[in-house]
Amino acid sequence: TSIFIDPPQEEVVNFKLAKRWIEIEANEIRYKEYYMDDAEFAVIGFGTAGRISLSAIRAARAQGIKVGLFRPISLSPYPYKQVEALSEKVKKILVVEMNAGQMLEDVQKAAKGRIPLAFYGRMGGITPFPDEILNEIHRLAEEDIPLDADPRHRWLERSDEILYGSN
């Protein structure tokens, strides 16, 4: 709905908003990168999951795994161009979220099927621990992930392991 009852007036406003969105996309995308200079693998996580991932990345780096963190700060607009460039630089990407993979879809769109993607999510208010993410970084570095593998389906197939620690 709209406060504009007159359709031609509403269309004018909608055009103004659409033009403003172009300006926002050009000037308001925010993100941070950590340890990306020599990274072979990347973790993408926002908010709490991104900050926790940084601890796991530091531990992985201490173990010799060249992994970095790309942490989107703005999700709308999403840093598609930056993630696309990242997908041209690293071998694989792990997306970490505290949900069922909503940002994963943005990463898939940006990566354009160029490299394998993995996903690790916790839901229902569960916060992942750094050691969980570190395990996922090891999995990312060691596993052969088919390029056409669906990251969400692979994650769901492991749900019992994630929930109960069983293999």
Side-chain angles (χ1 to χ4, degrees), residues 41-58:
F41 309 102
V43 173
I44 299 179
F46 69 93
T48 301
R51 290 187 294 276
I52 295 168
S53 293
L54 185 55
S55 295
I57 285 165
R58 288 181 176 132

Side-chain angles (χ1 to χ4, degrees), residues 54 57 73 81 117 136 150 165:
L54 185 55
I57 285 165
I73 296 169
K81 290 179 184 176
L117 301 177
E136 295 301 314
D150 184 312

Side-chain angles (χ1 to χ4, degrees), residues 110-124:
K112 299 179 180 177
R114 188 176 285 114
I115 61 171
L117 301 177
F119 175 70
Y120 186 72
R122 297 305 307 260
M123 299 182 292

Side-chain angles (χ1 to χ4, degrees), residues 10-125:
E10 183 173 358
E11 185 177 38
V12 168
V13 171
N14 285 335
F15 270 112
K16 287 180 184 177
L17 291 173
K19 288 177 183 178
R20 177 67 178 127
W21 184 250
I22 291 170
E23 291 177 35
I24 291 168
E25 285 181 317
N27 300 306
E28 300 300 328
I29 291 176
R30 303 286 183 257
Y31 63 92
K32 290 189 106 174
E33 294 181 323
Y34 304 85
Y35 304 104
M36 290 305 305
D37 291 341
D38 66 341
E40 295 177 7
F41 309 102
V43 173
I44 299 179
F46 69 93
T48 301
R51 290 187 294 276
I52 295 168
S53 293
L54 185 55
S55 295
I57 285 165
R58 288 181 176 132
R61 283 263 170 181
Q63 297 171 3
I65 300 172
K66 291 183 176 181
V67 60
L69 173 65
F70 183 92
R71 190 170 69 85
I73 296 169
S74 64
L75 298 179
S76 183
Y78 191 78
Y80 287 107
K81 290 179 184 176
Q82 293 80 2
V83 173
E84 180 180 2
L86 177 65
S87 73
E88 295 171 348
K89 179 182 174 190
V90 297
K91 296 176 183 177
K92 299 178 203 169
I93 293 175
L94 168 65
V95 178
V96 177
E97 297 185 64
M98 290 175 56
N99 56 53
Q102 285 78 353
M103 185 185 61
L104 172 62
E105 295 172 6
D106 291 310
V107 175
Q108 287 173 306
K109 180 179 176 181
K112 299 179 180 177
R114 188 176 285 114
I115 61 171
L117 301 177
F119 175 70
Y120 186 72
R122 297 305 307 260
M123 299 182 292

Side-chain angles (χ1 to χ4, degrees), residues 105-145:
E105 295 172 6
D106 291 310
V107 175
Q108 287 173 306
K109 180 179 176 181
K112 299 179 180 177
R114 188 176 285 114
I115 61 171
L117 301 177
F119 175 70
Y120 186 72
R122 297 305 307 260
M123 299 182 292
I126 302 296
T127 304
F129 288 103
D131 63 328
E132 293 174 54
I133 299 170
L134 179 58
N135 288 339
E136 295 301 314
I137 292 169
H138 279 280
R139 182 186 303 272
L140 181 75
E142 296 164 7
E143 278 189 0
D144 182 28
I145 302 171

